[in-house]
Amino acid sequence: MYKTLRISFSLRNAYRVNGILYSLKQIPIIKKLLPEKIYGVWGLKIFANIVSVIIEIISAFLGKFLYFYLMIFLPTFLITDVVGGNIVSSGQIFVHILFFLSIIGSYMNTFLFDPTRDKYYGIIIMRMNAKRYALVNYGYSLIKLIIGFLIFGLLFGKAYGVPLWISLITPLFVTGLKLTVAVYDLFKYEKTRNATNENKPGVIKWVIVFVLLGVAYALPLLNTYIPLNIAAYLMFIPIITGALSLRKICTFGYYREYYKQILQPEAYQKDLTRKVMNEYSKKLISADTSITSKRKGFEYMNELFVKRHHKVLWKPSRIITFVLIGLILLAVLVLQVAPDSHAKINEGLLNYIPLLTIWVYSMNRGPNYTQALFMNCDHSLLSYSFYKQPKFVLKLFSIRLREIIKINLLPASVLGIGLSLLLFLSGGTDNYMNYLVLLTSIPAMSIFFSVHYLTMYYLLQPYNRDTEMKSGTLQIINLVVYFACFYIMYLEIPTMLFGAMTILFSLIYCIVACILVYKVAPKTFKLRM
Amino acid sequence: MKFIIENLSKSFGDKKVLKDINFTFEEGKIYGLLGRNGAGKTTFFNCINSDIPADKGKFLLETDGQRREIKAEDIGYVLTTPTVPEFLTGREFLKFFLDINEDSIKNPKSIDDYFNIISIDTEDRDKLMKDYSHGMKNKMQMLINLIIEPNILLLDEPLTSLDVVVAEEMKQVLRQMKAERITIFSTHILDLALDMCDVIVLLSHGVLEIVDKQDLNSQAFKDKILSALREDAHV
């Protein structure tokens, strides 16, 4: 038993360590400082091992802490505040939420049927004894769970005056629930030979999740929750059924068959994962035979590309536009029926436009466009030397830039026009420049995102011949852009100033980006090795 | 025309894959590039095709005594796994290709004439290439490299995954194409190399070396190549 546990630990550790070393290799400057044969360097291995152990401890305790704090403690505090309750009702709300969330966790996070990578390596590749492997790991996870729930249940429960004995049985309750669900799945497997993959819950399970979430959080808001003593008695049921389940879980004879079903090689073997992804990309290509083009050369190819990738390009852009039109019309309606909303909406439009940055960011089709470009077009064409001639690279860049700007501009300009309209209807402004700024700053933002994604694609060309994303630089840049958008959201700048700055920034960025592409792209736009 | 490689070196970390290679390839010949797994054949091709930067070295093309550096358009590169833009039909791909290269293609033919050369059936010509078989994709890739008439044609294991009929057709095409260009053909299959190639070149210990056939019969020649390759294992 100890040996199995040790092997599964070292398996998890091995890929975690290599994963850490691999990510270090992806960071632009650090990768230059690291030796070529990074996986064999003793010091680095030790470092990664330490990080790996820390991750193991964090996953055991920090995870539980965050769960208790964010999902139960904080909501209890907020709900008590809203309904104006006292410490007694807080304790009851705390147990109420814990009770229903635990039911969700019992089947969404079974531990036993979690198709993890180490299970794949251990059971499928290394052909270890499936039952022993499963049970040892299951036991380990349950012990971590019991300790975590005991510590944080007591700690957070005490803050709300939850009786000590309830906090003490909580870990057993949660464990009992998990055991009961596991036994149910095992019996179901024996009957139907269909294994339950907890990472692929069906629609019904998701519906139950939402119902239970509603029960957990919405009922207390209506001042309704299970009384403490009833909850406590109910907790004993899974404790008993869980205890009864233990025998079946230990004697179940088909763990190998069960895991064979849920541990599909596609999820763990890199080449197979890639194959699935390539198949997916192929499916994006429309088989509509009526699609043709009357153009010539690159314009011809581009038109066919855009038309045959309608599903990922124009279709989402149109849907977003319709939703925006709907929202704007709704706002117009509100302005008509509730005249007292005018002042608020007017003020919002003149002061909170930075909020829209993240909207424009998430509406942007750039990442989907560049991905489709690579997977279905450049991946193959870049292996032909004619395609890599500088004049062709630049010609195609300008066509593609025009295309992605058009796709993103549709919703952005509708949003710009809509907001100007709302500004006018909500009482207008003395400074007419405000209209102009609203009208142009959102399209400017949208153009910035379009230029940004395509430029990065041409400058960093992040994929290799096996369609793997290889550029750490790009991932870092994307993160920075994301956080920048998030940060801007919280800025309070008047629309006028923000709009003017956006327009100016976008303009400068676009000019610089295009110059860079013209200078550098013929060298950088190639398949990575 | 000659393709001259001067002082080509390439290392990955401490591993020297190509060591100061100096070699001259001549027009009209098919060169069979043989080497053990990991000997650096693909690295060698990738350096020529400037897919990866060489650490050192020059690639020159000499025509009528005039030397110049090679350009992207001098090279045709046929990969083991053929890649074609799958969102286009075979016909659309050819039209696009002919459109953008109309200035550089000598004696262009009609699209259907081109399809005839590589015997792709009429009903397949207007299908999206995502539905093409491996062999058909391979033919398309070969066709594109044939039309462009590159000065240097690199073939990385091009025939191994084809069925016998397609492989035979492709061999014919390659033989027809070999005049007026330099063809370098990498393969693991010794018989294929002996069948197709005029010159056998070994890539071992990071350098290129011609295996002299002299007046050996084919079995003796084979043995000579094999023993040269085996020596590589003892290093």
Side-chain angles (χ1 to χ4, degrees):
Chain A
M1 195 183 91
Y2 170 70
K3 196 175 159 203
T4 311
L5 189 63
R6 209 189 58 213
I7 292 175
S8 75
F9 257 131
S10 54
L11 273 178
R12 257 200 302 272
N13 200 46
Y15 67 72
R16 215 183 260 152
V17 164
N18 288 342
I20 293 166
L21 294 177
Y22 180 80
S23 1
L24 282 178
K25 267 286 229 203
Q26 301 305 306
I27 305 170
I29 297 164
I30 293 178
K31 87 175 162 200
K32 291 234 166 77
L33 302 172
L34 292 171
E36 193 74 20
K37 292 173 187 156
I38 179 171
Y39 298 99
V41 177
W42 191 75
L44 279 169
K45 267 233 136 102
I46 299 278
F47 165 75
N49 267 301
I50 294 170
V51 175
S52 169
V53 170
I54 294 173
I55 291 176
E56 180 72 28
I57 296 169
I58 286 177
S59 74
F61 293 105
L62 189 71
K64 303 280 185 307
F65 168 79
L66 288 176
Y67 171 72
F68 266 96
Y69 181 73
L70 293 175
M71 302 291 287
I72 308 172
F73 182 83
L74 207 60
T76 306
F77 177 77
L78 295 173
I79 292 168
T80 315
D81 194 39
V82 171
V83 298
N86 52 25
I87 181 85
V88 179
S89 54
S90 292
Q92 302 209 355
I93 293 170
F94 183 87
V95 174
H96 173 94
I97 295 176
L98 177 69
F99 186 86
F100 288 104
L101 291 190
S102 299
I103 299 177
I104 297 178
S106 68
Y107 69 90
M108 293 298 276
N109 192 12
T110 58
F111 296 160
L112 187 56
F113 308 125
D114 188 8
T116 52
R117 195 173 282 270
D118 64 292
K119 284 197 186 106
Y120 175 74
Y121 290 141
I123 297 173
I124 307 289
I125 302 280
M126 292 165 60
R127 297 196 58 84
M128 290 169 70
N129 182 319
K131 184 161 142 189
R132 197 182 302 146
Y133 195 94
L135 292 180
V136 163
N137 275 289
Y138 190 45
Y140 173 68
S141 304
L142 288 179
I143 290 170
K144 276 201 301 188
L145 174 91
I146 290 173
I147 297 174
F149 266 66
L150 198 62
I151 296 173
F152 297 113
L154 281 169
L155 219 64
F156 287 108
K158 195 163 181 274
Y160 289 132
V162 175
L164 182 67
W165 68 277
I166 292 189
S167 295
L168 286 175
I169 61 164
T170 301
L172 296 177
F173 157 69
V174 179
T175 312
L177 272 176
K178 286 202 197 292
L179 289 167
T180 310
V181 169
V183 129
Y184 169 79
D185 283 336
L186 293 181
F187 276 121
K188 201 187 96 195
Y189 178 80
E190 281 187 337
K191 239 184 168 171
T192 62
R193 299 281 151 181
N194 267 331
T196 313
N197 184 339
E198 72 166 39
N199 286 356
K200 290 178 189 157
V203 182
I204 300 172
K205 283 192 177 170
W206 275 116
V207 171
I208 303 175
V209 166
F210 284 108
V211 170
L212 288 172
L213 279 176
V215 172
Y217 293 118
L219 280 189
L221 272 174
L222 305 170
N223 240 330
T224 316
Y225 34 78
I226 333 179
L228 205 57
N229 49 354
I230 295 188
Y233 288 127
L234 286 176
M235 280 180 167
F236 278 103
I237 300 174
I239 294 178
I240 295 162
T241 53
L244 294 173
S245 308
L246 277 173
R247 205 184 124 81
K248 177 74 195 169
I249 290 173
C250 293
T251 54
F252 178 72
Y254 302 102
Y255 278 108
R256 172 165 297 280
E257 292 79 355
Y258 196 110
Y259 281 119
K260 260 200 162 156
Q261 270 192 39
I262 61 172
L263 297 168
Q264 293 295 326
E266 286 78 10
Y268 312 97
Q269 301 272 68
K270 214 170 68 178
D271 46 342
L272 294 174
T273 319
R274 220 160 41 220
K275 213 170 144 196
V276 172
M277 222 175 100
N278 292 351
E279 287 300 316
Y280 170 77
S281 302
K282 262 194 210 176
K283 282 204 188 110
L284 298 178
I285 302 170
S286 159
D288 184 352
T289 46
S290 68
I291 293 172
T292 51
S293 167
K294 293 213 172 354
R295 292 161 181 256
K296 227 185 141 200
F298 283 110
E299 292 286 359
Y300 173 76
M301 182 192 64
N302 169 65
E303 190 176 2
L304 290 172
F305 183 86
V306 172
K307 281 183 176 171
R308 294 212 172 112
H309 289 83
H310 181 78
K311 214 193 272 179
V312 273
L313 300 176
W314 277 105
K315 195 175 166 196
S317 166
R318 291 212 173 106
I319 292 173
I320 295 168
T321 309
F322 282 126
V323 171
L324 287 175
I325 292 175
L327 288 175
I328 291 162
L329 289 179
L330 192 72
V332 170
L333 193 74
V334 170
L335 283 172
Q336 297 304 319
V337 295
D340 49 335
S341 65
H342 283 208
K344 261 196 172 166
I345 291 182
N346 193 287
E347 195 213 329
L349 287 168
L350 291 175
N351 292 300
Y352 293 104
I353 290 303
L355 276 175
L356 289 172
T357 317
I358 200 89
W359 271 45
V360 181
Y361 169 83
S362 46
M363 287 184 332
N364 158 50
R365 303 302 300 161
N368 310 66
Y369 183 54
T370 49
Q371 193 182 357
L373 276 181
F374 182 78
M375 297 297 282
N376 289 343
C377 182
D378 295 342
H379 169 235
S380 51
L381 283 173
L382 276 176
S383 58
Y384 296 89
S385 51
F386 77 88
Y387 192 72
K388 289 190 283 192
Q389 294 174 58
K391 57 176 181 189
F392 288 162
V393 169
L394 297 177
K395 167 113 193 160
L396 195 54
F397 172 78
S398 55
I399 293 174
R400 286 171 167 180
L401 187 60
R402 182 194 71 208
E403 219 53 52
I404 185 66
I405 288 179
K406 273 192 332 205
I407 292 168
N408 283 332
L409 210 49
L410 175 72
S413 39
V414 165
L415 189 62
I417 294 168
L419 292 180
S420 312
L421 180 73
L422 291 179
L423 181 64
F424 176 72
L425 291 177
S426 66
T429 160
D430 298 333
N431 187 348
Y432 288 102
M433 281 302 283
N434 269 319
Y435 290 112
L436 194 69
V437 164
L438 260 185
L439 263 177
T440 44
S441 64
I442 294 166
M445 246 188 263
S446 147
I447 291 174
F448 157 73
F449 284 122
S450 307
V451 173
H452 172 71
Y453 278 96
L454 197 67
T455 309
M456 286 304 135
Y457 175 64
Y458 267 77
L459 294 184
L460 297 171
Q461 208 305 95
Y463 301 94
N464 70 3
R465 198 162 270 161
D466 296 327
T467 64
E468 289 172 300
M469 177 84 136
K470 277 286 180 197
S471 171
T473 318
L474 182 66
Q475 276 157 343
I476 292 170
I477 292 177
N478 284 345
L479 265 181
V480 169
V481 171
Y482 176 74
F483 282 114
C485 292
F486 224 80
Y487 175 72
I488 288 171
M489 216 169 85
Y490 292 105
L491 292 179
E492 281 188 35
I493 313 177
T495 296
M496 187 68 161
L497 181 62
F498 177 74
M501 274 162 43
T502 309
I503 295 166
L504 192 69
F505 172 74
S506 304
L507 197 70
I508 295 171
Y509 185 92
C510 293
I511 294 170
V512 172
C514 290
I515 293 174
L516 259 178
V517 167
Y518 273 78
K519 289 240 183 264
V520 186
K523 286 195 206 87
T524 55
F525 190 57
K526 53 173 75 164
L527 289 173
R528 277 176 177 255
M529 287 298 146
Chain B
M1 181 174 57
K2 283 178 184 167
F3 171 41
I4 302 158
I5 297 177
E6 283 180 358
N7 308 102
L8 169 64
S9 298
K10 176 73 193 173
S11 310
F12 294 105
D14 304 332
K15 192 173 184 224
K16 286 185 182 155
V17 182
L18 308 175
K19 293 180 204 158
D20 197 32
I21 290 178
N22 288 288
F23 202 89
T24 302
F25 295 92
E26 285 169 8
E27 182 180 334
K29 288 182 182 166
I30 299 181
Y31 289 82
L33 183 66
L34 293 176
R36 309 275 311 243
N37 283 330
K41 297 188 293 290
T42 304
T43 303
F44 178 62
F45 278 178
N46 285 337
C47 283
I48 299 176
N49 200 36
S50 69
D51 285 332
I52 48 174
D55 298 340
K56 217 178 89 190
K58 271 188 182 167
F59 300 108
L60 304 166
L61 210 59
E62 187 184 292
T63 354
D64 308 323
Q66 297 283 326
R67 283 187 179 191
R68 64 166 174 84
E69 298 233 359
I70 57 167
K71 296 184 208 143
E73 51 268 41
D74 288 319
I75 302 166
Y77 190 3
V78 177
L79 302 161
T80 322
T81 320
T83 55
V84 289
E86 298 186 313
F87 71 99
L88 295 175
T89 64
R91 187 183 299 282
E92 286 166 351
F93 183 31
L94 271 186
K95 175 182 152 37
F96 160 65
F97 174 75
L98 295 171
D99 274 355
I100 65 169
N101 290 298
E102 60 185 358
D103 301 333
S104 53
I105 293 170
K106 304 154 214 160
N107 323 314
K109 299 185 174 64
S110 79
I111 289 179
D112 283 302
D113 285 344
Y114 281 126
F115 277 125
N116 291 335
I117 298 177
I118 52 166
S119 37
I120 283 196
D121 294 339
T122 323
E123 66 263 29
D124 290 329
R125 297 176 184 180
D126 293 296
K127 271 191 199 158
L128 286 181
M129 286 190 286
K130 70 170 178 163
D131 300 321
Y132 274 22
S133 68
H134 187 86
M136 280 154 72
K137 285 180 186 170
N138 209 313
K139 285 177 172 181
M140 287 304 294
Q141 191 194 11
M142 201 78 98
L143 177 63
I144 294 291
N145 281 298
L146 184 148
I147 301 173
I148 198 100
E149 301 192 348
N151 290 321
I152 302 163
L153 182 60
L154 307 176
L155 303 145
D156 191 1
E157 290 278 358
L159 304 177
T160 21
S161 53
L162 299 180
D163 71 51
V164 278
V165 179
V166 181
E168 209 46 51
E169 285 171 3
M170 288 295 103
K171 275 190 206 168
Q172 279 310 320
V173 171
L174 285 176
R175 286 195 188 104
Q176 282 161 20
M177 281 176 73
K178 79 173 190 179
E180 291 173 45
R181 73 183 35 79
I182 293 147
T183 309
I184 310 176
F185 186 110
S186 103
T187 180
H188 280 302
I189 299 170
L190 188 52
D191 287 318
L192 184 63
L194 295 175
D195 178 27
M196 281 294 297
C197 305
D198 305 296
V199 183
I200 301 288
V201 184
L202 295 188
L203 178 58
S204 67
H205 310 152
V207 289
L208 290 180
E209 184 188 345
I210 292 184
V211 186
D212 200 355
K213 196 175 176 186
Q214 285 171 345
D215 28 52
L216 294 172
N217 65 30
S218 65
Q219 189 54 45
F221 188 45
K222 233 188 221 180
D223 292 341
K224 186 176 176 184
I225 295 170
L226 275 174
S227 69
L229 284 171
R230 277 201 193 99
E231 268 172 29
D232 210 12
H234 300 303
V235 182

